[in-house]
Amino acid sequence: MTKYMVMQTYSGGEACDVPMTEWSPDDIRAHVAFQRALNEELADKGELVDAQGLAGPEAAKKVVSGGTGGTVVTDGPFTESKELLAGYRIIDVDSEERALEIAARLSAAPGLGGTPIRQPIEVRQVMSAPA
């Protein structure tokens, strides 16, 4: 088994560039229900390690420090907020192919009117430290 991090950003998808904050309550419920059902399915298969949604860009903070002296903390929202992480899953699967299959399902999550949003999903293998 190999662990992968599957990441979703605040960017829209090819089929939906309307922010979720502007979706109808029914569309939001359908999207969240899809996410929860997928989490449950992955957990039942023993593939889900963790899944979390993150607070919006308006609650984000960026921290810069040189290790000594002053630390700079910047509050969001950030102009590049579309690139900020919205949520993630850590999955433990048999192959990269399976991780990509899961990412494809996430990309097709329902958006406005139930249309798949075609959101780009980033997949990265979780690396372990050398011995």
Side-chain angles (χ1 to χ4, degrees):
M1 301 284 279
T2 305
K3 289 182 183 163
Y4 291 88
M5 179 178 262
V6 180
M7 297 168 275
Q8 295 173 262
T9 64
Y10 281 95
S11 64
E14 292 177 14
C16 182
D17 60 359
V18 177
M20 188 181 277
T21 55
E22 296 176 24
W23 292 10
S24 74
D26 286 342
D27 287 336
I28 293 170
R29 278 191 289 276
H31 184 82
V32 171
F34 170 89
Q35 300 290 340
R36 288 182 175 154
L38 181 59
N39 286 348
E40 187 174 313
E41 177 186 324
L42 295 174
D44 289 347
K45 290 181 177 184
E47 295 177 321
L48 184 65
V49 175
D50 188 31
Q52 301 293 327
L54 302 174
E58 69 282 353
K61 305 237 187 266
K62 287 189 180 179
V63 178
V64 177
S65 175
T68 59
T71 297
V72 177
V73 178
T74 307
D75 293 330
F78 305 107
T79 56
E80 66 279 6
S81 65
K82 293 188 303 188
E83 303 303 320
L84 288 178
L85 193 61
Y88 68 90
R89 284 174 178 81
I90 302 289
I91 55 175
D92 197 0
V93 293
D94 289 328
S95 66
E96 181 181 80
E97 182 179 274
R98 176 64 178 142
L100 297 176
E101 177 184 307
I102 293 166
R105 289 186 58 199
L106 285 166
S107 179
L112 295 174
T115 302
I117 58 177
R118 297 182 49 85
Q119 181 183 37
I121 304 295
E122 186 173 344
V123 178
R124 289 195 202 174
Q125 184 177 349
V126 176
M127 305 299 289
S128 59

